[in-house]
Amino acid sequence: MGTIFIVFAVIILFYINALTNSLCIQKEIPAERQPKVFRFINVMITILLVSSYVELLYT
């Protein structure tokens, strides 16, 4: 089950990054701010995925 969750998490991260890129293009976010946007969103999604995994482990 852990392997399936990890594969699923990687797919989600790639998809979220594609959506973030679309957001940056649509909202015309300057290139110097884009790394901060990507970092913030990736950290938040990673926290969400880790907490989901921990919840699955202990239920």
Side-chain angles (χ1 to χ4, degrees):
M1 181 166 153
T3 306
I4 295 170
F5 191 86
I6 291 171
V7 170
F8 182 65
V10 169
I11 292 169
I12 288 175
L13 280 173
F14 280 122
Y15 186 69
I16 293 295
N17 279 329
L19 290 174
T20 304
N21 189 37
S22 298
L23 172 75
C24 289
I25 291 170
Q26 182 181 12
K27 296 296 181 181
E28 298 175 356
I29 296 175
E32 59 272 359
R33 288 193 58 215
Q34 287 183 13
K36 291 180 184 178
V37 172
F38 275 93
R39 188 177 312 118
F40 177 77
I41 292 175
N42 283 334
V43 166
M44 293 299 122
I45 294 298
T46 303
I47 290 171
L48 178 68
L49 289 169
V50 168
S51 65
S52 298
Y53 183 71
V54 169
E55 182 178 345
L56 284 175
L57 278 178
Y58 295 112
T59 57

